[in-house]
Amino acid sequence: MTTKVNEYAVVPEGSVTTPKGFRAGGLHCGLKKTQRHDLGVIVCEVPANAAGVYTLNQFQAAPLKVTQESIAAGGKLQAMLVNSGNANACTGQQGEDDARSMREACAKAFGLAEHLVGVTSTGVIGELLPMPKVLGGIEKLPSQVKADGGDDFCQAILTTDLVKKEICVSLTVDGRTVHIAGAAKGSGMIHPNMATMLGFITTDAKIESAMLQKLLNEVTDSTFNMITVDGDTSTNDMVIVMASGLAENESLTPGHGDWDAFAAGFRHVGEYLAKAIARDGEGATKLIEVSVNGADSREAARAIAKTVIGSSLVKSACFGADANWGRIIAAVGRAGYPVNVDTVDIRLGDISVLEQSRPVRFDEDAAEAYLKGELVQIVVHLNMGQALATAWGCDLTYDYVRINAAYRT
Amino acid sequence: MTTKVNEYAVVPEGSVTTPKGFRAGGLHCGLKKTQRHDLGVIVCEVPANAAGVYTLNQFQAAPLKVTQESIAAGGKLQAMLVNSGNANACTGQQGEDDARSMREACAKAFGLAEHLVGVTSTGVIGELLPMPKVLGGIEKLPSQVKADGGDDFCQAILTTDLVKKEICVSLTVDGRTVHIAGAAKGSGMIHPNMATMLGFITTDAKIESAMLQKLLNEVTDSTFNMITVDGDTSTNDMVIVMASGLAENESLTPGHGDWDAFAAGFRHVGEYLAKAIARDGEGATKLIEVSVNGADSREAARAIAKTVIGSSLVKSACFGADANWGRIIAAVGRAGYPVNVDTVDIRLGDISVLEQSRPVRFDEDAAEAYLKGELVQIVVHLNMGQALATAWGCDLTYDYVRINAAYRT
């Protein structure tokens, strides 16, 4: 049973192993103090066409370099290894050697060429990986990998996340069923720049790596790159997509009759994961969506949406269900793009609070009730042009402070 | 009794009324719900040469326009009126009319020409001022103004601030004693851009308005513009300086033999107030100072220092006394300026935690003890060039969230 959305459908209970050819698994190797999974892998039956986007933080973590090298070697990946509990970032040459050892061990365990293995890590920055634990875990991974291992994999990538984030859509290409699935982690240090904390997308569609990379770039730009939890861009952000081609469709390009449906399904996966990361931001009680309409450029719309969603004052007002629109307009005014100061409209859901830059009398009780919900939509209309953008984030809460005042301890 | 600092001295208990010619006062007119002062004024015996810097937020509040007009008329101010509890921002034409009415009423009450009066407001955005209360208060102001009214004035400008912020220095110019004093308010929506929330500087030095403006710009750039509490630039930021000239020195210019001492004293006042605002940021338990050394440009040093001080993750780690330097280097890497990723040193006070981008083993207990103090100094050395900059901020605490989750209510 699937739910129809335009030309693709969401697959209930779908995971990264729903697309043909993918298995996954996870286990506890000892990086996390509690008995939770901290090592996971997605494995494909065949070398999958692959593409990736990576953090623009200059202190890029060691595993990202190794993964980029693997994909550069032939545009393919057959296994994607991940550990949580330690980011292997700012760990110098030893960190790079460790990431390579992880790739080597994973390749050996699954009988693959090294350049078909990607590696990624998430957790605390600046500590060396306890390699005996990691390598011991990798040896045991093949026995944990299974066709319904998507859930175990999701568990293995969580740090301060509360819920796992996965989605699968299906669509028809050349009369064949194609799946696109994704899993992600987020929570803290989330202000992606060209990539997000960790995102894994699998598909059984046939599509060349270059085309996959182009689509991933476009989708990342309007989904993962439009979320923020705390304005901090991680050293480890990465989204990887693997396409097994086992759906046996004609190779997808923009000229293909089913391209639009595939691109829409792919975007759905990206947006779903991005919003799930924002909603599960550290300490968050709700998802905040900021839409900026009527801007005179897409660049301006994006910058203003991200400035509003990143404002600590807007975020804490949402936590307190306080319809303090003054903080929203103050953020609009400092985003670095010219706006017409006399033509701004602001709505909180359906409640208009500012029209043509003038305060509107509104029902405070209704506004409070709306802001107490799990989703707060802030709509800003600049009435200047046609460009628009949407950004997602979460409220700023006591729990955010609690979690981050003692992350390492 | 004064404490000698270079060529100027701090005047204990000094206030904005210490410089010759200035009186001040404050009272409760009804804008704040509790019986705290919410209306204040600084008055000078003579028209004082004046200069100001104002927020770059595009939604500049009405009183800022009025103050700019006053100074533009002749470069002088004789009274500076301020109210707290209502920012008179985003209030349209009515707000502008109200700001003009305040100027008119204040001019009348003190028998001054209107263009000698400046007006400023702080508080909630988007609500019209209850003008009968404000005008009633202004009528009573002259009877409240006194030679030792600096404290009353300071009380009148506070909103969520916990402590008043004032300072006075003295120095000798042409054999005469010159004073420079300042008062400020800050607390929330503090991420000044060319000005800060509210700063008032008085001096009895003789100095032309244009020269005063130049000095104010320079000092603002390295003091008020280098602090952040929450990354949000207010609609009402303003720093105003008034020079009575009653010290009767030769007019100060960079060619004057005592210029350097005067500029140093002026900078001391600016830096003291800026740090006081940062330390008293909403919910703050400590002052954080971030110094970036060895950058290849001042612009880069400034941007990196402000990015580190603005990181919610760094701020909450300081609150929790967690020596999580990974968050510091992640902020350095996303500040938008190229750094050499292999040559970064980081110190927390005297405790080295990163050298040449490699983790240093340090005493965690000592680091925790240091971070529990009232002042945390984070020193980043990029080892690239000679440029440096310092920024100030505060920790992110439960109280910040508490205060901002219910500011209007």
Side-chain angles (χ1 to χ4, degrees):
Chain A
M1 205 187 73
T2 57
T3 316
K4 193 82 180 164
V5 183
N6 288 331
E7 301 177 82
Y8 58 88
V10 174
V11 181
E13 314 281 317
S15 81
V16 289
T17 58
T18 306
K20 286 191 196 82
F22 292 94
R23 292 175 304 144
L27 54 76
H28 174 77
C29 77
L31 296 170
K32 287 179 184 165
K33 284 166 194 165
T34 54
Q35 280 292 323
R36 294 184 300 149
H37 288 0
D38 51 20
L39 193 70
V41 71
I42 299 175
V43 188
C44 190
E45 270 176 36
V46 296
N49 287 339
V53 285
Y54 310 90
T55 186
L56 285 191
N57 192 306
Q58 295 173 77
F59 295 94
Q60 204 179 67
L64 277 74
K65 291 178 199 165
V66 171
T67 300
Q68 281 166 290
E69 280 174 19
S70 286
I71 294 181
K76 291 176 190 291
L77 286 180
Q78 198 163 351
M80 190 68 214
L81 179 69
V82 57
N83 75 269
S84 53
N86 184 315
N88 193 12
C90 301
T91 43
Q93 187 58 47
Q94 185 62 51
E96 211 169 308
D97 293 348
D98 290 346
R100 283 183 207 292
S101 298
M102 286 172 71
R103 177 171 67 172
E104 189 186 346
C106 186
K108 195 176 157 200
F110 289 96
L112 305 173
E114 277 189 40
H115 72 271
L116 292 175
V117 177
V119 181
T120 182
S121 302
T122 175
V124 70
I125 293 174
E127 290 182 7
L128 291 173
L129 281 164
M131 287 305 287
K133 288 180 183 175
V134 174
L135 296 177
I138 292 172
E139 267 181 42
K140 290 182 202 128
L141 266 183
S143 64
Q144 302 301 315
V145 163
K146 44 196 178 181
D148 61 352
D151 186 67
D152 283 334
F153 176 79
C154 274
Q155 298 294 343
I157 61 178
L158 305 183
T159 53
T160 50
D161 304 55
L162 297 178
V163 298
K164 60 193 170 67
K165 301 157 189 76
E166 56 184 352
I167 174 101
C168 182
V169 301
S170 69
L171 64 150
T172 304
V173 178
D174 298 327
R176 293 165 186 279
T177 300
V178 161
H179 299 91
I180 310 168
K185 86 156 294 289
S187 223
M189 206 176 268
I190 299 293
H191 185 75
N193 195 344
M194 296 310 285
T196 189
M197 197 62 184
L198 295 183
F200 304 90
I201 301 175
T202 58
T203 177
D204 40 22
K206 191 170 169 192
I207 177 171
E208 292 305 314
S209 300
M211 203 54 64
L212 202 56
Q213 184 71 52
K214 196 165 168 290
L215 182 59
L216 178 62
N217 290 350
E218 283 170 17
V219 167
T220 296
D221 210 36
S222 61
T223 59
F224 296 110
N225 282 357
M226 290 306 284
I227 62 174
T228 190
V229 168
D230 47 22
D232 279 286
T233 303
S234 163
T235 50
N236 289 49
D237 291 347
M238 159 153 58
V239 181
I240 291 290
V241 51
M242 296 165 75
S244 72
L246 296 178
E248 300 189 328
N249 54 287
E250 294 296 313
S251 193
L252 281 157
T253 66
H256 192 294
D258 294 318
W259 174 261
D260 287 347
F262 182 74
F266 198 95
R267 177 175 304 274
H268 185 94
V269 169
E271 184 174 320
Y272 177 90
L273 294 175
K275 286 162 78 168
I277 290 170
R279 170 62 186 85
D280 194 29
E282 285 176 337
T285 70
K286 65 193 69 193
L287 176 68
I288 307 175
E289 180 178 279
V290 177
S291 299
V292 173
N293 303 319
D296 55 7
S297 73
R298 184 154 174 273
E299 208 184 5
R302 284 169 62 90
I304 293 168
K306 288 192 85 166
T307 302
V308 173
I309 201 71
S311 161
S312 293
L313 290 170
V314 171
K315 288 154 64 75
S316 42
C318 286
F319 172 53
D322 180 9
N324 197 331
W325 58 264
R327 294 175 177 175
I328 298 169
I329 199 160
V332 170
R334 70 171 167 88
Y337 285 83
V339 296
N340 184 334
V341 297
D342 298 318
T343 61
V344 181
D345 302 334
I346 297 178
R347 282 192 289 113
L348 304 174
D350 292 331
I351 303 167
S352 177
V353 294
L354 195 75
E355 278 173 20
Q356 298 293 303
S357 297
R358 284 189 212 126
V360 173
R361 259 181 221 287
F362 60 91
D363 181 339
E364 289 270 0
D365 292 342
E368 188 182 339
Y370 175 70
L371 293 171
K372 279 188 170 158
E374 285 238 336
L375 169 65
V376 169
Q377 291 177 302
I378 297 172
V379 182
V380 177
H381 206 304
L382 301 175
N383 292 298
M384 294 171 75
Q386 303 300 321
L388 48 88
T390 301
W392 297 276
C394 58
D395 52 345
L396 175 59
T397 70
Y398 297 115
D399 274 355
Y400 177 86
V401 177
R402 183 184 54 73
I403 291 164
N404 285 300
Y407 177 68
R408 292 190 321 149
T409 50
Chain B
M1 201 187 75
T2 57
T3 316
K4 192 83 181 162
V5 183
N6 290 330
E7 299 176 84
Y8 59 88
V10 174
V11 181
E13 314 281 318
S15 81
V16 288
T17 58
T18 305
K20 285 191 196 81
F22 292 93
R23 292 176 302 145
L27 55 76
H28 174 75
C29 78
L31 296 170
K32 288 178 183 165
K33 283 166 195 165
T34 55
Q35 280 292 325
R36 294 184 300 149
H37 287 358
D38 50 20
L39 193 69
V41 71
I42 299 176
V43 188
C44 190
E45 271 177 36
V46 295
N49 287 338
V53 286
Y54 311 89
T55 186
L56 285 191
N57 192 306
Q58 295 173 79
F59 296 93
Q60 205 180 66
L64 277 74
K65 291 177 198 163
V66 172
T67 300
Q68 281 167 291
E69 280 173 19
S70 286
I71 294 182
K76 290 179 191 291
L77 286 180
Q78 198 163 350
M80 190 69 214
L81 178 69
V82 57
N83 75 271
S84 53
N86 184 314
N88 193 12
C90 302
T91 42
Q93 186 58 48
Q94 184 63 51
E96 212 169 306
D97 293 347
D98 290 346
R100 281 182 209 292
S101 298
M102 287 173 70
R103 178 171 65 172
E104 188 186 346
C106 186
K108 194 175 158 200
F110 289 96
L112 305 173
E114 278 189 40
H115 71 270
L116 291 176
V117 177
V119 180
T120 183
S121 302
T122 175
V124 70
I125 293 175
E127 290 182 7
L128 291 174
L129 281 165
M131 287 305 287
K133 289 181 182 173
V134 174
L135 296 177
I138 292 173
E139 266 181 42
K140 290 183 203 128
L141 266 182
S143 63
Q144 302 300 316
V145 162
K146 43 196 178 181
D148 61 352
D151 187 67
D152 283 334
F153 176 80
C154 275
Q155 299 295 343
I157 61 178
L158 306 183
T159 54
T160 51
D161 304 55
L162 296 178
V163 298
K164 60 192 170 70
K165 301 157 188 76
E166 57 184 351
I167 174 107
C168 181
V169 301
S170 68
L171 64 149
T172 303
V173 178
D174 298 328
R176 292 165 188 278
T177 300
V178 161
H179 300 90
I180 311 168
K185 85 156 295 288
S187 223
M189 207 175 269
I190 299 294
H191 186 73
N193 196 343
M194 296 310 285
T196 188
M197 195 63 182
L198 295 182
F200 303 90
I201 301 175
T202 58
T203 176
D204 40 21
K206 191 171 170 190
I207 176 170
E208 292 305 315
S209 300
M211 203 53 65
L212 202 55
Q213 183 71 53
K214 195 165 169 290
L215 183 59
L216 178 62
N217 289 349
E218 283 170 17
V219 167
T220 297
D221 209 36
S222 61
T223 58
F224 296 111
N225 282 356
M226 291 305 285
I227 61 173
T228 192
V229 168
D230 47 23
D232 279 285
T233 304
S234 164
T235 50
N236 290 49
D237 290 347
M238 159 153 55
V239 181
I240 291 289
V241 50
M242 296 164 76
S244 72
L246 296 178
E248 300 189 325
N249 54 288
E250 293 297 313
S251 193
L252 281 157
T253 67
H256 192 294
D258 293 318
W259 174 262
D260 287 348
F262 182 74
F266 198 95
R267 176 174 305 274
H268 183 95
V269 169
E271 184 173 320
Y272 177 89
L273 294 176
K275 287 162 76 168
I277 290 171
R279 170 62 185 86
D280 193 29
E282 286 177 335
T285 71
K286 64 193 69 191
L287 177 68
I288 307 175
E289 180 178 279
V290 177
S291 299
V292 173
N293 304 319
D296 55 8
S297 73
R298 183 153 175 274
E299 208 185 4
R302 285 169 62 89
I304 293 168
K306 289 192 85 165
T307 302
V308 173
I309 200 71
S311 161
S312 293
L313 290 170
V314 171
K315 288 154 63 76
S316 42
C318 286
F319 172 54
D322 180 9
N324 197 331
W325 59 263
R327 294 175 177 177
I328 299 169
I329 200 161
V332 171
R334 71 172 167 88
Y337 285 83
V339 298
N340 185 334
V341 298
D342 297 319
T343 61
V344 181
D345 302 334
I346 297 179
R347 282 192 291 113
L348 304 174
D350 291 332
I351 303 167
S352 177
V353 294
L354 195 76
E355 278 173 20
Q356 297 292 303
S357 298
R358 284 189 209 125
V360 173
R361 260 181 219 288
F362 60 91
D363 181 339
E364 289 270 0
D365 292 341
E368 188 182 339
Y370 175 70
L371 293 172
K372 279 188 170 158
E374 285 239 336
L375 170 66
V376 169
Q377 291 177 302
I378 297 173
V379 182
V380 176
H381 205 304
L382 300 175
N383 292 298
M384 294 172 77
Q386 303 299 321
L388 49 89
T390 301
W392 296 277
C394 58
D395 51 345
L396 175 59
T397 70
Y398 298 115
D399 275 353
Y400 177 84
V401 177
R402 183 184 54 72
I403 292 163
N404 285 299
Y407 177 67
R408 293 191 319 150
T409 51

